[in-house]
Amino acid sequence: MTQNSPLSYRDAGVDIAAGDALVDRIKPLARKTLREGVLGGIGGFGALFEVPKRYREPVLVSGTDGVGTKLRLAFALNRHDTVGQDLVAMSVNDILVQGAESLFFLDYFACGKLHVDTAAAVVGGIARGCELAGCALIGGETAEMPGMYPDGEYDLAGFAVGVVEKSKIIDGSTIQPGDVVLGLASSGAHSNGYSLVRKIIERSQPDLNAPFAGERSLADVLMTPTRIYVKPVLALMQRVGVKGMAHITGGGLLENVPRVLPDHTVAELEKDAWPRPKLFDWLQAEGGVAEDEMHRVFNCGIGMVIVVGAGDAEMAQAALKASGEAVYRIGRIRARQGGEAQTVVV
């Protein structure tokens, strides 16, 4: 090519045809997530959604997040079909804690060079997450930016919008001493603490493909997608007065539970009240991680915390178990003494 030869976008590293091919692959995936309220499909400049008319005083609740450095494991293992569910889970579980029903989700996929099969695998995971959450994959953006990312790597961001009746917003304000703290089991490390996970792997140099704690490999365990709690918890809210919830993400139990507690209360959690998955024991042993640090970084087996009145605890546990959740009574709410931490693990 001479200096004065005509240039195309493809010459600059952007393949429009690949982008069009990806959109064609995405459309049937998105179609499977359609729900009431969707007014347009994938491909428009903006996504249209009508708030369900059953809400009298609808309040929109929004959340955004990414997958973090768990993506680096996805690149190393060439596994791209689960991180999409992680992406959805981070946002829909966040807005759930305020009582919101997830309505729709949008994704942002950025890469240096677009590999259609990889991107389609990622979006397939996003669509699966949307189905689990009952929300519509209503739109998104694929950005091919040569020079911004190494070949084979990408970044993800997600955006969820939900709705809650104004009178039913859950904010933790009614939590009081004597209330019961329930914990829903996580599916693993979810999408948090992976910078430390990767550091531990770098130090211990394990065989990621070897069996770990049963038939699955360590790679399988580490790449297990984040559990989505939306449908079981929304069903619970129809039966029991939920006082507060915390999605256990970055910051673990010690940093996330206080976000929903009134200043005068403490959540006292009993670490023997739930089984800790072997993954966390392995991470602690291989990394020499202190116990407090474990609870400050990882979910340690509890992905969602729910606070209910003592009289509702048994019914709540039964309802959650009937929905397929592993649920444990992990602690209680008590009065706070002076300036003590608002969540303690004993």
Side-chain angles (χ1 to χ4, degrees):
M1 182 182 296
T2 65
Q3 184 174 359
N4 295 322
S5 297
L7 292 173
S8 68
Y9 216 4
R10 182 189 289 267
D11 294 325
V14 179
D15 190 342
I16 294 176
D20 292 340
L22 178 60
V23 171
D24 289 339
R25 297 269 291 271
I26 289 172
K27 283 182 177 179
L29 300 175
R31 197 173 297 122
K32 291 174 64 177
T33 72
L34 291 180
R35 53 157 293 158
E36 62 169 331
V38 178
L39 300 181
I42 297 287
F45 285 98
L48 303 175
F49 195 97
E50 182 178 37
V51 176
K53 291 182 171 58
R54 65 179 182 275
Y55 287 91
R56 291 181 296 177
E57 292 185 288
V59 175
L60 296 180
V61 185
S62 58
T64 183
D65 210 335
V67 179
T69 58
K70 188 174 185 177
L71 288 180
R72 299 221 61 86
L73 273 183
F75 304 152
L77 297 168
N78 195 28
R79 296 190 182 196
H80 308 284
D81 58 339
T82 58
V83 290
Q85 180 174 325
D86 286 309
L87 182 70
V88 175
M90 286 298 100
S91 290
V92 298
N93 285 341
D94 271 359
I95 66 175
L96 172 65
V97 304
Q98 291 174 287
E101 168 192 4
S102 296
L103 296 176
F104 59 84
F105 188 85
L106 298 97
D107 69 281
Y108 177 77
F109 179 97
C111 59
K113 178 175 175 56
L114 180 60
H115 296 279
V116 175
D117 288 344
T118 296
V122 172
V123 177
I126 292 172
R128 171 64 177 155
C130 287
E131 288 184 75
L132 290 171
C135 65
L137 177 55
I138 199 173
E141 173 69 12
T142 301
E144 187 176 20
M145 299 182 288
M148 287 290 290
Y149 302 91
D151 190 24
E153 298 188 4
Y154 53 83
D155 199 8
L156 291 173
F159 313 86
V161 174
V163 63
V164 61
E165 197 72 65
K166 188 174 183 179
S167 62
K168 295 182 178 180
I169 294 173
I170 297 173
D171 60 7
S173 60
T174 63
I175 293 175
Q176 60 185 358
D179 288 341
V180 171
V181 182
L182 302 178
L184 300 187
S186 67
S187 55
H190 286 180
S191 297
N192 304 106
Y194 273 80
S195 294
L196 180 54
V197 169
R198 288 171 46 243
K199 192 70 176 177
I200 292 170
I201 291 173
E202 180 184 310
R203 172 188 290 185
S204 60
Q205 294 292 306
D207 180 356
L208 294 176
N209 295 311
F212 179 85
E215 297 181 359
R216 297 199 302 162
S217 68
L218 180 55
D220 290 334
V221 172
L222 289 169
M223 293 307 295
T224 300
T226 305
R227 190 164 183 83
I228 291 175
Y229 301 100
V230 175
K231 290 180 180 179
V233 172
L234 288 177
L236 173 68
M237 289 163 49
Q238 299 301 312
R239 301 186 59 182
V240 171
V242 173
K243 294 188 172 188
M245 290 185 279
H247 182 203
I248 309 306
T249 55
L253 289 161
L254 296 182
E255 299 291 338
N256 283 291
V257 176
R259 296 168 66 181
V260 72
L261 298 177
D263 287 343
H264 66 284
T265 62
V266 168
E268 187 172 280
L269 310 181
E270 300 175 21
K271 65 179 180 181
D272 293 332
W274 73 91
R276 179 187 285 194
K278 288 183 172 56
L279 172 63
F280 299 107
D281 292 336
W282 181 85
L283 289 168
Q284 184 170 27
E286 294 295 322
V289 184
E291 186 71 7
D292 277 356
E293 185 74 355
M294 289 294 296
H295 288 292
R296 196 175 300 280
V297 176
F298 300 114
N299 64 59
C300 291
I302 297 296
M304 181 71 73
V305 163
I306 300 176
V307 181
V308 296
D312 291 328
E314 189 172 332
M315 182 183 296
Q317 285 184 272
L320 289 164
K321 286 179 180 177
S323 295
E325 296 299 318
V327 56
Y328 308 97
R329 188 180 297 214
I330 65 171
R332 65 186 181 92
I333 302 297
R334 62 168 174 80
R336 188 180 187 190
Q337 304 298 322
E340 70 174 322
Q342 282 199 277
T343 297
V344 294
V345 180
V346 298

